[in-house]
Amino acid sequence: MFDKLEDLLIRYEEIIQELNDPGVINDQNKYRKLMKEQSDLSAIVDKYKEYKATKEAIDDSLKMLEEEKDEEMRELAKEELNDCKQRLIEIENDLKILLLPKDPNDEKNVIVEIRGGAGGDEAALFAAELFRMYSKYAESQRWKIDMINLNENGLGGFKEVVFMINGKGVYSRMKYESGVHRVQRIPVTESGGRIHTSTTTVAIMPEAEEVEVELDLNDCKFDVFRASGNGGQCVNTTDSAVRLTHIPTGIVISCQDEKSQLKNRDKALKVLRAKLYELELEKAHSAEAEARRSQVGTGDRSEKIRTYNFPQGRVTDHRIKITLHRLDDILNGDLDEVIDSLTAADQAAKLSKMNESQ
């Protein structure tokens, strides 16, 4: 591990020198590429420098214990030595996590699909609440939401909502949200006051670049229709909505959020690319089934991942057995504690797998 860290430190210093070269500064493509590489390496390099400084502090404390006769100074040196040894273990673990292979999709934007499942209108109402939750979370992260399609049920609920989240590292934070979200509460429509259980499905798909997915437009059938639901007056009076059917897979995508038929067509193609890319990822994950089992779930939309229990005000994530009594905060977009816990569990599982294979 430490040979690799030394190589990365040397490379980091080379990048710093290259970035100060006037020839590189004038070559914007090369400059951007080097800045990205520097950004990717900076956290590892900073942590490795901290590791080396802590090792030096340990050596200094040991040397003091050998040479120092004053008992009070020796006690201080022992205390410093113990602190540094404990800190060194923590830094080594941090370095192992930083050196884990990066998910190539982590920096990508995502396309999110939320669909009401079992529970009819109650499931649709909860789908709308999940959309609000993710919207609030995106706002807190300074990400931008771009609506693609919305199918309402007339009671304020969403039978289906599809949208894109654009921003830095969106997939790295949102990828653990794919799966079945279960809600337990007394529905507004329930006169008897009984608690009902409903489900809503969430799919998180990394945005796919054109070069990542082979898409033949001859395999695509486009139909146009008049948009329905909320929208400006042009939305509901022109054939601006687009329905895209991908003939080989049977995937059907509707997009009606934009006034422009062309913009709706482009958005539908983005969703299709993401879906085709997700299919390829699923094939790869099936081929790496053993490795997949060592990770926290990030893709199977049939997996029940979380329960939102309103009477008890709690949220339980079943993958990592964590329960938080902060239902209102979480539904208001305060998702960091949940996502941080999932990320830590995923990293721990990968580290354990890596240690087993060594």
Side-chain angles (χ1 to χ4, degrees):
M1 177 174 86
F2 294 105
D3 287 344
K4 183 176 181 180
L5 286 164
E6 279 296 330
D7 290 341
L8 291 175
L9 181 56
I10 291 166
R11 176 59 190 148
Y12 186 80
E13 287 166 354
E14 287 173 352
I15 293 168
I16 298 295
Q17 289 179 347
E18 287 185 68
L19 286 169
N20 290 322
D21 183 337
V24 171
I25 293 169
N26 292 329
D27 184 343
Q28 283 301 300
N29 285 335
K30 188 172 184 181
Y31 187 78
R32 274 195 296 269
K33 189 178 176 183
L34 286 168
M35 285 293 290
K36 172 73 167 61
E37 192 178 354
Q38 182 199 24
S39 175
D40 290 343
L41 288 177
S42 61
I44 298 173
V45 167
D46 288 346
K47 189 61 68 175
Y48 184 45
K49 285 179 179 177
E50 186 184 350
Y51 174 86
K52 293 174 86 169
T54 307
K55 283 279 283 182
E56 282 182 21
I58 288 173
D59 292 340
D60 290 344
S61 296
L62 287 169
K63 190 175 179 183
M64 184 181 285
L65 282 171
E66 282 178 15
E67 299 173 353
E68 186 61 59
K69 303 299 180 188
D70 183 82
E71 200 53 43
E72 192 174 328
M73 293 298 291
R74 285 177 63 80
E75 283 302 315
L76 284 172
K78 284 179 187 177
E79 192 176 318
E80 175 75 10
L81 182 62
N82 288 334
D83 288 347
C84 287
K85 281 183 175 178
Q86 185 58 45
R87 182 65 192 133
L88 198 69
I89 293 168
E90 294 170 5
I91 294 170
E92 282 182 357
N93 192 61
D94 290 343
L95 281 169
K96 285 178 183 176
I97 289 170
L98 286 167
L99 288 172
L100 284 172
K102 292 278 190 290
D103 185 331
N105 294 313
D106 273 352
E107 291 304 310
K108 290 186 175 181
N109 302 323
V110 299
I111 290 169
V112 185
E113 286 184 346
I114 305 175
R115 287 193 175 94
D121 287 336
E122 173 62 11
L125 287 167
F126 190 59
E129 288 183 66
L130 287 181
F131 171 72
R132 180 180 175 275
M133 178 180 80
Y134 292 133
S135 299
K136 290 277 188 184
Y137 183 62
E139 186 181 334
S140 73
Q141 301 296 306
R142 298 187 178 174
W143 297 337
K144 181 190 169 197
I145 283 195
D146 193 8
M147 187 66 78
I148 292 172
N149 193 45
L150 175 60
N151 183 0
E152 299 174 273
N153 73 343
L155 297 172
F158 299 164
K159 293 178 183 176
E160 177 192 56
V161 57
V162 184
F163 56 99
M164 177 174 273
I165 306 179
N166 301 278
K168 183 174 173 55
V170 181
Y171 186 74
S172 69
R173 301 294 289 168
M174 290 293 293
K175 61 185 174 182
Y176 302 107
E177 294 302 300
S178 278
V180 175
H181 295 242
R182 184 173 68 169
V183 58
Q184 295 173 325
R185 65 181 174 187
I186 300 166
V188 179
T189 53
E190 173 60 51
S191 57
R194 293 174 299 172
I195 295 171
H196 280 219
T197 298
S198 305
T199 60
T200 298
T201 302
V202 175
I204 307 289
M205 297 170 286
E207 182 184 14
E209 303 293 332
E210 288 186 40
V211 293
E212 293 174 308
V213 176
E214 251 185 69
L215 179 59
D216 187 346
L217 289 180
N218 291 320
D219 290 335
C220 300
K221 180 189 171 194
F222 292 93
D223 296 304
V224 294
F225 59 99
R226 189 158 297 178
S228 59
N230 295 330
Q233 66 185 85
C234 295
V235 170
N236 298 306
T237 57
T238 61
D239 290 336
S240 60
V242 170
R243 184 180 297 107
L244 165 58
T245 304
H246 186 242
I247 297 162
T249 60
I251 293 171
V252 179
I253 296 148
S254 294
C255 185
Q256 60 177 352
D257 193 62
E258 299 285 351
K259 295 176 183 179
S260 158
Q261 188 185 119
L262 190 61
K263 286 182 179 178
N264 281 328
R265 184 179 183 275
D266 287 344
K267 280 188 175 182
L269 283 168
K270 273 189 179 181
V271 177
L272 177 59
R273 283 194 191 94
K275 283 179 175 286
L276 294 175
Y277 186 58
E278 186 189 32
L279 288 174
E280 290 302 314
L281 289 179
E282 284 174 5
K283 284 181 193 173
H285 291 153
S286 298
E288 301 163 6
E290 188 58 39
R292 191 67 174 165
R293 277 196 289 273
S294 73
Q295 298 175 29
V296 171
T298 59
D300 185 355
R301 64 183 72 185
S302 66
E303 178 188 10
K304 182 185 74 179
I305 63 166
R306 198 173 296 151
T307 295
Y308 305 75
N309 184 292
F310 277 69
Q312 296 175 21
R314 63 172 169 83
V315 175
T316 299
D317 196 288
H318 304 289
R319 294 162 295 180
I320 54 174
K321 311 290 190 295
I322 185 177
T323 296
L324 302 171
H325 292 273
R326 298 177 48 241
L327 176 67
D328 289 343
D329 292 340
I330 289 167
L331 287 176
N332 277 316
D334 188 0
L335 284 168
D336 276 335
E337 186 176 359
V338 180
I339 292 172
D340 288 344
S341 300
L342 286 161
T343 302
D346 194 23
Q347 288 170 343
K350 287 174 183 172
L351 274 177
S352 175
K353 188 73 181 172
M354 188 174 72
N355 292 334
E356 284 173 18
S357 63
Q358 287 176 351

